[in-house]
Amino acid sequence: MNRKTLVLPAVAGLLAPLLAACGGSEDARAITVGTTDQFIVTEDAPAPLDPAYAYDTGAWNILRQTVQTLLHVPRGGGEPVPEAAQTCGFSDKASESYRCTLRSGLTFADGTPITAEDVKFSIERVLKIKSDNGTAALLSNIDTIETQGTDGIVFHLKTPDATFPYKLSTPVAGILSKDKYAADKLRDGFDVDGSGPYTMKVEHEGDKATRFVFTKNPAYKGDITLRNDKVELRPFADSDAMGAALEHDDIDMMARSLSQKQIKDLTETPKEKIRVTEVPGLEIRYLGFNTEAPSVEQKAVRQAMAAVVDRGALVNLVYGPTAEPLYSLIPSSITGHATPFFDEYGEPDPARAAKILKDAGVKTPVKVTLNYTTDHYGAETAKEFEALKNQLVASELFDAKVQGAEWSTFRTAQKRGDYAVYGLGWFPDYPDPDNYIAPFLDSGNFLNTPYVNETVREKLIPRSRRQADRNAASPVYAQIQKIIAKDVPVLPLWQGKQYVAARDDLNGVEYALNTSSDLLLWELGRGTA
């Protein structure tokens, strides 16, 4: 059904002045955004939207609309600024003590006052639950939390950490109500309650969410300015279905994830009343390894794969101009970027890979299975992994095959260690080199990897965090990246660009998706404003 037949009479009168300015009563309908992210409750992941568990872009895009944090990254990027807080800052030169004062009159959406105790409860809850999703690792450097009156809170850190304000701006540090969330267990299902700019209702069919409806929270007090009163987020099975909905005016915008073909078609042959916008992006894709799995436990096998993979050919075949080869975990636009994998292995060289394997006494061909998720990163993922398999097989050093699984199954199996080789993407929690290193190599990491390098974990990561001037940390990140290139616990492949497509009566599109792929739905509006 075309959404233009849907009217919201209850709010039409309230919006009349705005509608007159923006061009007609039709603007009263909710803005609808499409996504290919899937939201499923499973036995292994019964609480996909609990801040103590959620650690993927799709889930965080729900939480950012509904759960408030002490700080947030402002439009256009930069250092975090106060959101639920009135003020925040380090109270010592060593970056070990961080103090915030809450805004006056802050309440949850149901009207319950928010105090410093609620902040303390919420963050201690994450650390106590310590889910296997790696979420708690972002806050694991907190030693103690001290409240000062009803509105003051001090975080005492174990070691200096100049990146701590960024971590407080992520949904893992969302402020929750003791009445809605238990202190020692996850909240199952899709319900989310907080003090963010919107309240949320979810529609679902069985264990799968089919629509999220965000309505302006009248109790909200914070740094965000809402340009709409209601937004819907609608999951689609794939980018083609999402694109058809946009073309038929059933949705206003599609964000995550457009296929390479859609981007090409919309750019070269624009459709009437639809425009495509490129926005800055910091996504990376990589292969991860279970370094205890028999097929890849020998470092030589992983090094040989690094010497064989042709990133340029992969990108050209599958992604075209929407991606570029990556020779580091840290993308080119982030401080600390280098090219350690190119420096170590150079251009793809099967002869060199063969020597690496021979010198290590590894019999060839090495049997490997490349595991990928079929429904989380876009339509091209299957083609990408088929291309990777073909490159490995063509070297005559590997007997490779591919295996796909839905995200709900894939992620659980990956964390459990079922896969020797697997493909993942990373959208940064915050735009700092630390967030391209610690989630893969620090304790309690996102990958749940058995790989441990004590020098990186105990010395280099803490040293990098002492630098308030992040440019000054670059030499430390260069050391870390050289170690990664030699040990190959992960193999970076490419970094991508971001695109959104929207109806031409929607504005604010260029601000609605930031470099970390966070959806900022409050930026969207109708008309020419």
Side-chain angles (χ1 to χ4, degrees):
M1 178 174 61
N2 189 303
R3 292 171 305 112
K4 290 183 178 179
T5 62
L6 300 179
V7 183
L8 304 178
V11 299
L14 296 175
L15 296 177
L18 175 63
L19 299 179
C22 292
S25 61
E26 201 171 89
D27 292 338
R29 60 188 171 91
I31 293 169
T32 304
V33 176
T35 180
T36 55
D37 287 318
Q38 302 299 307
F39 305 89
I40 303 172
V41 171
T42 68
E43 183 177 348
D44 292 315
L49 298 181
D50 190 312
Y53 177 86
Y55 203 9
D56 65 84
T57 302
W60 275 21
N61 281 340
I62 301 296
L63 293 174
R64 286 189 187 279
Q65 322 306 321
T66 50
V67 176
Q68 199 171 15
T69 49
L70 289 170
L71 302 105
H72 78 124
V73 176
R75 174 202 278 185
E79 295 184 0
V81 298
E83 214 296 70
Q86 185 68 42
T87 60
C88 277
F90 284 106
S91 56
D92 66 332
K93 292 183 179 180
S95 300
E96 287 184 301
S97 183
Y98 195 79
R99 188 183 193 283
C100 292
T101 302
L102 293 176
R103 290 180 184 269
S104 176
L106 204 65
T107 70
F108 290 108
D110 64 4
T112 304
I114 295 175
T115 69
E117 285 295 334
D118 294 303
V119 179
K120 184 174 188 288
F121 160 79
S122 302
I123 292 179
E124 288 183 341
R125 175 179 181 270
V126 172
L127 297 172
K128 183 175 184 178
I129 292 174
K130 198 178 181 181
S131 81
D132 66 355
N133 219 21
T135 321
L138 279 173
L139 304 176
S140 61
N141 195 32
I142 296 174
D143 186 16
T144 59
I145 303 175
E146 173 191 355
T147 59
Q148 298 179 341
T150 60
D151 62 356
I153 188 158
V154 183
F155 300 93
H156 300 286
L157 307 182
K158 299 173 185 175
T159 58
D161 186 2
T163 71
F164 187 66
Y166 281 107
K167 294 168 183 176
L168 287 183
S169 74
T170 66
V172 65
I175 304 170
L176 307 176
S177 168
K178 297 177 184 177
D179 296 335
K180 303 291 177 63
Y181 291 84
D184 56 357
K185 66 178 182 179
L186 296 172
R187 182 179 182 178
D188 293 352
F190 296 116
D191 290 336
V192 178
D193 290 279
S195 57
Y198 297 99
T199 59
M200 185 199 79
K201 290 185 178 179
V202 60
E203 299 175 10
H204 57 91
E205 294 177 359
D207 294 331
K208 189 172 186 177
T210 57
R211 186 192 307 258
F212 296 90
V213 181
F214 300 100
T215 304
K216 184 176 181 179
N217 174 13
Y220 170 72
K221 289 186 177 181
D223 191 57
I224 293 168
T225 300
L226 279 73
R227 301 186 60 243
N228 58 66
D229 290 303
K230 193 171 187 178
V231 186
E232 296 181 6
L233 185 67
R234 191 182 304 175
F236 287 87
D238 53 48
S239 56
D240 287 340
M242 182 170 61
L246 180 68
E247 189 172 347
H248 291 103
D249 198 16
D250 290 329
I251 62 174
D252 296 290
M253 185 178 93
M254 56 179 183
R256 284 176 40 86
S257 297
L258 281 71
S259 69
Q260 192 271 338
K261 183 179 184 302
Q262 285 175 322
I263 295 166
K264 183 176 184 293
D265 290 347
L266 288 170
T267 302
E268 295 180 356
T269 312
K271 294 183 180 292
E272 186 180 3
K273 296 186 178 182
I274 294 176
R275 53 192 168 91
V276 63
T277 303
E278 180 182 343
V279 293
L282 295 173
E283 171 191 9
I284 69 168
R285 298 284 181 89
Y286 60 93
L287 290 179
F289 298 95
N290 176 356
T291 54
E292 291 182 349
S295 62
V296 296
E297 65 179 337
Q298 287 185 267
K299 181 166 60 176
V301 174
R302 307 192 301 271
Q303 291 174 329
M305 291 181 69
V308 166
V309 167
D310 189 334
R311 295 168 178 81
L314 179 69
V315 166
N316 288 336
L317 176 66
V318 182
Y319 295 101
T322 65
E324 58 186 80
L326 181 65
Y327 297 90
S328 161
L329 277 176
I330 301 174
S332 59
S333 51
I334 292 289
T335 297
H337 170 75
T339 57
F341 277 84
F342 187 84
D343 300 341
E344 183 70 27
Y345 303 101
E347 297 290 349
D349 188 349
R352 182 179 181 186
K355 185 177 187 306
I356 291 171
L357 293 171
K358 183 179 179 180
D359 289 350
V362 177
K363 294 182 179 180
T364 59
V366 180
K367 289 188 175 183
V368 293
T369 299
L370 308 178
N371 294 274
Y372 71 96
T373 173
T374 58
D375 61 343
H376 196 66
Y377 296 119
E380 288 85 9
T381 310
K383 186 178 180 181
E384 175 185 355
F385 273 75
E386 190 66 25
L388 284 169
K389 181 201 77 172
N390 291 341
Q391 289 184 5
L392 295 176
V393 171
S395 73
E396 300 184 352
L397 301 172
F398 294 91
D399 178 6
K401 65 178 182 179
V402 297
Q403 178 174 292
E406 292 184 350
W407 176 253
S408 56
T409 300
F410 173 89
R411 175 65 172 138
T412 300
Q414 179 270 315
K415 288 186 296 183
R416 198 166 49 220
D418 293 354
Y419 303 145
V421 188
Y422 51 87
L424 280 170
W426 183 252
F427 302 85
D429 307 324
Y430 47 91
D432 186 275
D434 177 77
N435 198 236
Y436 288 92
I437 297 297
F440 305 98
L441 302 174
D442 209 355
S443 59
N445 60 71
F446 167 76
L447 296 180
N448 198 26
T449 176
Y451 171 81
V452 176
N453 185 292
E454 295 293 348
T455 298
V456 171
R457 186 172 290 187
E458 303 299 330
K459 296 180 180 179
L460 296 180
I461 290 178
R463 188 184 304 167
S464 72
R465 290 172 174 168
R466 293 190 188 103
Q467 299 290 346
D469 177 358
R470 303 308 289 151
N471 289 317
S474 292
V476 181
Y477 288 116
Q479 288 181 261
I480 293 172
Q481 291 179 85
K482 285 181 180 179
I483 292 170
I484 296 171
K486 286 187 178 296
D487 289 354
V488 200
V490 292
L491 178 58
L493 297 173
W494 55 267
Q495 67 178 84
K497 302 176 183 178
Q498 289 191 123
Y499 296 83
V500 295
R503 307 291 301 183
D504 62 5
D505 65 341
L506 197 67
N507 60 67
V509 172
E510 64 272 27
Y511 300 114
L513 195 68
N514 68 13
T515 56
S516 297
S517 294
D518 302 325
L519 271 176
L520 312 180
L521 296 179
W522 52 83
E523 295 285 2
L524 296 173
R526 293 197 188 280
T528 57

